[in-house]
Amino acid sequence: MLTPEETRDFWMALHWALLERLPDGSIRAVGEVPGWLSRLVSGEHPSFSFFENFLPDANDFWDARRPGSLKSGLCTQTGEEGCEWHFEISAMCVGERRLLMVRLLN
């Protein structure tokens, strides 16, 4: 069994971030936010704008309570410094929670 610290280190080593879509429509991180994601959503009021194209499909998936996960395919976001970040988003339900797993690909 992994300790909480080992579990966190495992997900960080894989470049995964876990986020949750809240009932009010906002998105919050579950656990520690990896540095790459922090750079994409930095600022006083973080924006998860790179989800805009995927969230309508994710909402349909969550509303239908489908098993498994829904994958976004390749997503690209340009950071403030002009570099491109490539990632994939997966939507899944765990109980009543609407979760998003974000995997960095670069």
Side-chain angles (χ1 to χ4, degrees):
M1 193 96 185
L2 295 175
T3 67
E5 293 80 18
E6 290 170 329
T7 301
R8 182 202 65 223
D9 292 346
F10 173 77
W11 289 111
M12 297 294 251
L14 292 175
H15 301 288
W16 281 94
L18 179 62
L19 307 171
E20 182 174 10
R21 179 77 180 231
L22 301 175
D24 68 3
S26 64
I27 298 172
R28 74 168 177 94
V30 177
E32 191 171 337
V33 176
W36 62 267
L37 184 58
S38 294
R39 287 190 291 280
L40 280 177
V41 298
S42 63
E44 189 174 327
H45 302 287
S47 168
F48 293 90
S49 61
F50 52 93
F51 288 110
E52 288 177 10
N53 292 329
F54 180 63
L55 283 177
D57 292 334
N59 283 324
D60 290 343
F61 175 82
W62 290 321
D63 289 344
R65 309 289 302 157
R66 294 189 187 117
S69 64
L70 175 70
K71 295 189 183 307
S72 66
L74 178 67
C75 298
T76 301
Q77 176 77 21
T78 303
E80 286 183 11
E81 61 282 346
C83 68
E84 289 188 343
W85 299 85
H86 305 285
F87 51 92
E88 181 179 60
I89 308 165
S90 298
M92 63 201 71
C93 294
V94 177
E96 295 299 314
R97 297 177 78 177
R98 296 173 173 217
L99 300 177
L100 296 160
M101 294 287 297
V102 184
R103 180 172 64 121
L104 180 66
L105 300 174
N106 15 342

